[in-house]
Amino acid sequence: MYSTNYSSPLGEMLIASDGEAVRGVWFSGQKHFPTSDNFIKKDDLAIFKQVRQWLDDYFNGLNPEIDFELKPEGSEFRLNVWKILCDIPYGESLTYGEIASRISDTMSAQAVGGAVGHNPISILIPCHRVLGAGGKLTGYAGGIERKIELLKLENITWDR
C-alpha cells in the first residue's frame, strides 16, 4: 500500500492507494486513522495526482467527477452503506434513518451510523452528507468542525 500527503484547507490528509485505486483518504489524527507503518510513501503515483486535483477542485467549490477507482475495504454491510453514500448528490444530504430504510425495513440507523463512521475514504465517499434524525448535525470521524465546513462548502443546511 502506498501513501502521500495532501494539505487541505481543513488540515493535513493522508491518501492511500494500492497503485491502481484509492484505498483511503483520512484527515490526520481522525478516528480510525491508520498507522503509517502500513504504507510506503510514494508521492508520484498517477492516482495520487488525480486525487489531489479532485480535492483541489472540491475545496475550490466545484463538484468534480470521480474518474478513478475507489476501493474501500470492509464488510459486505459496510460496502453497501458506502455505496449508498456515493449516491448522495453534491449539495444534498440523507439521514442515517433514510439510509437504513434503503437497506431494509428492519435496519437500524445506529448500525448505519457505525458503518458511516468507519468510511475509509473521506470526502470522496461523502459521509459528511449524512445527518441525524430531523436533519440534526451529528458526529464525524474527522471532527465535527470539519463536517460543518464541508456542509457549508456544499451549501447543505442542517438543523441547528
Side-chain angles (χ1 to χ4, degrees):
M1 198 70 74
Y2 303 103
S3 72
T4 192
N5 294 325
Y6 175 78
S7 293
S8 86
L10 301 180
E12 287 299 309
M13 301 183 82
L14 177 72
I15 305 168
S17 173
D18 57 12
E20 303 283 321
V22 177
R23 302 299 298 263
V25 177
W26 303 271
F27 285 103
S28 291
Q30 79 169 54
K31 288 180 189 171
H32 317 296
F33 188 80
T35 61
S36 57
D37 303 342
N38 301 334
F39 301 107
I40 299 166
K41 188 138 176 73
K42 190 165 176 69
D43 296 323
D44 61 349
L45 285 178
I47 187 79
F48 289 153
K49 182 178 181 198
Q50 291 176 285
V51 175
R52 279 192 211 95
Q53 183 61 58
W54 189 96
L55 288 167
D56 285 347
D57 289 347
Y58 176 81
F59 283 115
N60 282 313
L62 303 175
N63 179 17
E65 184 177 327
I66 295 175
D67 59 355
F68 44 85
E69 185 181 2
L70 304 179
K71 194 173 179 183
E73 189 173 319
S75 67
E76 183 178 343
F77 171 68
R78 286 182 178 176
L79 291 170
N80 191 19
V81 169
W82 300 336
K83 182 180 181 328
I84 293 170
L85 298 181
C86 289
D87 293 336
I88 304 172
Y90 180 94
E92 297 182 27
S93 64
L94 286 177
T95 66
Y96 296 97
E98 288 170 330
I99 294 171
S101 69
R102 289 184 183 194
I103 295 171
S104 87
D105 292 338
T106 59
M107 179 58 55
S108 77
Q110 291 80 8
V112 168
V116 171
H118 282 84
N119 169 26
I121 304 180
S122 296
I123 304 175
L124 289 96
I125 297 179
C127 54
H128 62 278
R129 295 180 188 151
V130 182
L131 300 171
K136 295 255 189 247
L137 188 63
T138 56
Y140 182 63
I144 198 73
E145 300 81 16
R146 287 187 179 119
K147 182 172 185 167
I148 289 169
E149 292 305 314
L150 293 169
L151 294 172
K152 284 180 182 177
L153 180 68
E154 295 188 30
N155 295 310
I156 297 172
T157 58
W158 64 92
D159 183 13
R160 298 175 192 245

